Amino acid sequence: MNLPNAITFSRLLGIPFLLYGLYNPTPQARWVCLTIFLVAAFTDWLDGYLARKLNQITDLGKFLDPLVDKFLVLAPLLVLVELQKIPAWGVFVILARELAIAGWRVNQTTITGANIWGKLKTVSQIIAISLLIAPLSLAWQVPTLTVFWLSVALTVISGLIYIVPQKINFIQ
């Protein structure tokens, strides 16, 4: 396993601590959770950067990176649903898109990296989850939920943009 893939895999190690901390309602615990989440999100950028810089792009990395990203995004979102911070159907839309794209990729002969819409989706999800985790005042509730719903919309749009051109090429 090369360095970028090891960094990708290490991202999984923070998720149990993040989930455990989200059940502790203190501001200190939330700041710790936010830090864990942001460090893990940063490694998403770092592993891709190192893979390109060190010329260590692998099929394992192309497969593992989006899978670990799904865990990093969906795990805290599911806890936030349980804590009644966000509605379950918004997270269901995100989950449905992720499963649909993962299923679609299984049938592809080549594994492609994320396009700009996939990157926008990921960034919007990271921002939304960060705002939802952070111990912010009630004045932040509407802006935070707005960013969450924007990330849901970008999730749907990126999924459609990923599948529709692929499907048109498949038909031709």
Side-chain angles (χ1 to χ4, degrees), residues 30 76-86 132-133:
R30 286 302 181 99
L77 286 177
L78 290 171
V79 171
L80 291 165
V81 165
E82 185 178 2
L83 296 174
Q84 299 181 347
K85 302 290 184 188
I86 50 176
L132 288 161
I133 291 173

Side-chain angles (χ1 to χ4, degrees), residues 18-166:
L18 171 63
L19 299 181
Y20 178 78
L22 285 173
Y23 287 105
N24 186 342
T26 66
Q28 296 83 0
R30 286 302 181 99
W31 286 120
V32 169
C33 288
L34 179 60
T35 302
I36 292 169
F37 179 75
L38 290 174
V39 167
F42 172 74
T43 67
D44 183 31
W45 171 83
L46 181 63
D47 60 19
Y49 172 78
L50 289 174
R52 289 184 297 277
K53 179 100 171 148
L54 301 174
N55 196 26
Q56 294 182 352
I57 297 172
T58 64
D59 283 342
L60 175 63
K62 288 180 187 177
F63 170 78
L64 192 60
D65 185 64
L67 179 64
V68 173
D69 290 347
K70 287 168 187 37
F71 285 126
L72 181 63
V73 167
L74 290 169
L77 286 177
L78 290 171
V79 171
L80 291 165
V81 165
E82 185 178 2
L83 296 174
Q84 299 181 347
K85 302 290 184 188
I86 50 176
W89 75 268
V91 176
F92 175 79
V93 168
I94 293 171
L95 176 61
R97 183 267 190 208
E98 298 301 343
L99 290 175
I101 296 300
W104 180 264
R105 284 183 175 170
V106 167
N107 293 320
Q108 302 304 303
T109 55
T110 59
I111 302 171
T112 59
N115 62 24
I116 187 66
W117 289 98
K119 292 180 187 298
L120 286 172
K121 170 208 58 124
T122 300
V123 168
S124 70
Q125 289 174 343
I126 289 168
I127 293 169
I129 294 167
S130 296
L131 290 171
L132 288 161
I133 291 173
L136 303 172
S137 70
L138 285 178
W140 282 88
Q141 188 171 10
V142 170
T144 297
L145 288 175
T146 301
V147 173
F148 169 72
W149 288 114
L150 174 64
S151 76
V152 172
L154 284 171
T155 298
V156 171
I157 291 166
S158 70
L160 290 173
I161 288 172
Y162 186 84
I163 289 178
V164 171
Q166 300 285 335

